[in-house]
Amino acid sequence: MTPDTDLDMARLTLSPPVAAPAAAEAIRACFGLSGELTRLPGEADDNFLLDPGTGQRYGLKFAPRRADPAVVASRSGC
């Protein structure tokens, strides 16, 4: 295998799912938000809906650790 092939295979290896408490802590630490957190379906990412009770809701996506940064950036709202 070539180094590129090894990297591609590593990216295809799924990361363990992000648990809701860990997601809530990351959201609190990064964005200062908390509230009702609901897991949403997703193929490879861990997706959550956050309802802080303020009338706004937020969709949050946790990409696998080994995901290609260019792919993650192309799917983000940032």
Side-chain angles (χ1 to χ4, degrees):
M1 291 190 158
T2 67
D4 287 339
T5 303
D6 290 341
L7 183 58
D8 288 342
M9 290 305 293
R11 287 185 178 143
L12 292 173
T13 304
L14 293 178
S15 297
V18 175
E25 180 56 35
I27 294 164
R28 197 171 16 262
C30 292
F31 303 108
L33 296 170
S34 62
E36 183 180 342
L37 196 61
T38 305
R39 182 177 290 277
L40 300 174
E43 184 177 337
D45 302 322
D46 288 291
N47 304 298
F48 293 91
L49 176 68
L50 175 68
D51 185 349
T54 61
Q56 286 189 300
R57 297 184 306 165
Y58 303 90
L60 298 114
K61 180 179 294 284
F62 291 81
R65 291 179 185 164
R66 295 180 174 170
D68 183 339
V71 173
V72 173
S74 72
R75 296 185 304 188
S76 73
C78 299

